[in-house]
């Protein structure tokens, strides 16, 4: 009887920890709750280890991710898989066997807040294998350096170096890639890097080969407004919480994480910040850039006075290489045809939707692929054991778009 009672109490405690009120429209809420409980456990354990001085919180998280998710490069009947380097950056290469003599080419940047994850993770390995096989494409998944050891612009420089090497005649010839059918892509922080790289290289007239398309998966594109309508609507929706995104930004930019409350209050982008011009503010004015069905009842939060020292301490907040949404219209207009995936229950939803609008205004052909039941990171959960319906749908639609446009 005592064992049964103890078991019942433990079960109730576990259910209490796992349960989280979620919006009614989110896909398969219980799967998301379980996933969130797992992530929260790891995050809390890493915070404790960090507070005790045992290790940096990011190191513990990455150790767990490596232990659970990372797999060796193993070929299969349809795809040859090897670990190599691209522009000096570690890269996992997926080459389809057979098919056409000239292949499509895709360079992919994984997500993880510029601090976590790897192209060697099982979820990214499976995604790139499927892309290689379904698209008859050579896929190169780049392992750029991560925070806290590397901070901006080092991740960007790695992505740029790998992309330049990818587009080189030597690499294209070695892997039999059609120079007219090359793509840059990535998810979350990787989508940020893909967008920044596309902007930089599309403006480089010295290149003889450039990207035909860019495919951005729920990208993070700005850090000046943590009160967009999606940040307000989804502040308590897993798996990417509002404070976590602010911390990722500070870690990426090499700034003091004690600034997190100031960013979350929008004190860093108050009207008394002379570094932020009216032109810059217009580039992320979601009240003007988003349709009414996305703005809903939310209102902009703009402080009259804030913390004037923040922009001086972290000037990288205004760097377009870190925040591609802030690029000038002329730069955007030179970027390739775009695909932008966004999810309704994601704090980064409006970053992507504003970028869609700004690209369209610059004359770029854009496909906006929005998932009303989607959440941040859903596409990498297209495989077992955490397979989700919206993950499978989003992955299949992403690959279909590439098949039709690359």
């Amino acid at each position: 009887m005592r064992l049964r009672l103890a078991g019942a109490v433990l079960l109730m405690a576990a259910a209490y920890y796992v349960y989280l009120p979620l919006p009614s429209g989110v896909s398969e809420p219980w799967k998301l709750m379980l996933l969130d409980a797992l992530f929260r456990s790891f995050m809390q354990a890493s915070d404790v280890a960090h507070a005790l001085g045992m290790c940096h919180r990011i190191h513990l998280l990455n150790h767990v991710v490596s232990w659970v998710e990372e797999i060796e490069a193993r070929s299969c009947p349809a795809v040859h898989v090897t670990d190599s380097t691209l522009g000096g950056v570690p890269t996992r290469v997926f080459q389809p066997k057979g098919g056409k003599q000239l292949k499509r080419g895709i360079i992919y940047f994984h997500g993880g807040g510029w601090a976590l994850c790897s192209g060697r993770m099982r979820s990214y390995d499976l995604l790139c294998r499927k892309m290689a096989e379904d698209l008859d494409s050579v896929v190169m998944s780049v392992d750029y350096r991560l925070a806290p050891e590397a901070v901006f612009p080092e991740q960007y420089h790695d992505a740029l170096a790998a992309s330049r090497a990818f587009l080189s005649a030597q690499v294209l010839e070695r892997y039999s890639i059609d120079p007219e059918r090359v793509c840059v892509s990535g998810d979350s922080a990787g989508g940020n890097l893909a967008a920044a790289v596309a902007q930089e290289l599309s403006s480089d007239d010295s290149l003889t080969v450039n990207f035909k398309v860019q495919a951005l998966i729920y990208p993070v594109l700005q850090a000046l407004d943590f009160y967009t309508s999606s940040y307000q609507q989804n502040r308590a929706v897993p798996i990417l919480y509002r404070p976590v995104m602010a911390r990722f930004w500070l870690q990426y930019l090499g700034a003091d994480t004690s600034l997190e409350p100031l960013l979350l209050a929008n004190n860093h982008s108050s009207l008394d910040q002379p570094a932020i011009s009216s032109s810059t503010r217009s580039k992320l004015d979601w009240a003007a850039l988003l349709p009414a069905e996305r703005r809903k009842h939310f209102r902009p939060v703009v402080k009259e006075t804030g913390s004037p020292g923040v922009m001086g301490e972290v000037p990288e907040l205004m760097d377009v290489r870190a925040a591609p949404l802030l690029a000038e219209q002329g730069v955007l207009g030179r970027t390739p045809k775009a695909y932008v995936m966004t999810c309704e229950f994601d704090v980064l939803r409006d970053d992507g939707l504003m970028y869609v609008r700004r690209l369209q205004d610059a004359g770029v052909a854009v496909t906006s692929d929005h998932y009303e039941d989607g959440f941040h990171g859903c596409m990498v959960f297209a495989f077992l054991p955490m397979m989700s319906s919206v993950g499978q749908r989003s992955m299949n639609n992403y690959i279909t778009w590439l098949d039709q446009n690359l």
Side-chain angles (χ1 to χ4, degrees), residues 294-320:
R294 301 300 168 207
R295 299 194 307 267
K296 299 183 175 70
H297 62 281
F298 299 105
R299 296 290 181 267
V301 175
V302 182
K303 300 292 184 69
E304 291 288 337
T305 58
S307 305
V310 177
M311 293 307 299
E313 192 172 342
V314 197
E316 296 85 358
L317 289 163
M318 294 281 292
D319 195 318
V320 295

Side-chain angles (χ1 to χ4, degrees), residues 134-295:
D134 290 1
L135 296 169
D136 191 31
S137 171
V138 175
V139 181
M140 300 194 179
S141 183
V142 179
D143 267 332
Y144 52 88
R145 288 171 290 174
L146 301 174
E149 284 74 24
V151 297
F152 178 82
E154 291 175 351
Q155 288 90 332
Y156 167 79
H157 284 159
D158 281 358
L160 188 61
S163 297
R164 288 189 181 279
F166 177 73
L167 296 174
S168 69
Q170 180 183 7
V171 169
L172 295 175
E173 182 178 353
R174 176 183 175 185
Y175 292 99
S176 299
I177 297 173
D178 186 342
E180 300 295 324
R181 305 178 79 184
V182 286
C183 165
V184 61
S185 186
D187 65 288
S188 193
N192 167 285
L193 294 173
V197 163
Q199 289 180 11
E200 175 67 23
L201 295 185
S202 64
S203 297
D204 187 346
D205 293 329
S206 69
L207 293 177
T208 56
V209 176
N210 221 317
F211 293 113
K212 181 181 180 181
V213 298
Q214 55 181 321
L216 314 178
I217 313 301
Y218 30 78
V220 50
L221 299 169
Q222 61 85 29
L224 291 182
D225 190 355
F226 285 90
Y227 275 97
T228 63
S229 55
S230 59
Y231 266 115
Q232 294 183 60
Q233 172 183 292
N234 300 310
R235 61 193 309 157
V237 177
I239 57 176
L240 183 60
Y241 293 98
R242 191 167 164 268
V244 173
M245 191 64 247
R247 182 182 294 180
F248 276 144
W249 267 112
L250 291 169
Q251 289 172 161
Y252 177 43
L253 301 180
D256 191 336
T257 54
S258 67
L259 296 174
E260 181 184 314
L262 301 182
L263 264 63
L264 291 175
N266 270 2
N267 280 358
H268 64 305
S269 55
S270 54
L271 294 176
D272 63 343
Q273 301 282 355
I276 308 177
S277 67
S278 58
S279 174
T280 296
R281 294 184 188 278
S282 70
K283 294 168 185 172
L284 44 84
D285 180 6
W286 56 268
L289 293 171
L290 300 183
E293 64 265 24
R294 301 300 168 207
R295 299 194 307 267

Side-chain angles (χ1 to χ4, degrees), residues 377-390:
C378 64
M379 196 180 78
V380 296
F381 301 113
F383 306 97
L384 292 171
M386 294 301 295
M387 182 187 294
S388 74
S389 168
V390 68

Side-chain angles (χ1 to χ4, degrees), residues 59-106:
H59 292 159
L60 179 58
L61 285 173
N62 264 328
H63 180 74
V64 172
V65 168
S66 297
W67 180 66
V68 173
E69 273 274 295
E70 284 193 12
I71 59 176
E72 294 180 359
R74 291 196 182 106
S75 299
C76 63
V79 181
H80 181 60
V81 183
T82 56
D83 285 332
S84 184
T85 59
L86 190 61
V89 185
T91 301
R92 180 160 289 185
V93 181
F94 302 81
Q95 296 173 263
K97 299 177 182 178
K100 296 180 180 178
Q101 184 176 357
L102 275 182
K103 311 291 186 183
R104 295 161 162 146
I106 301 170

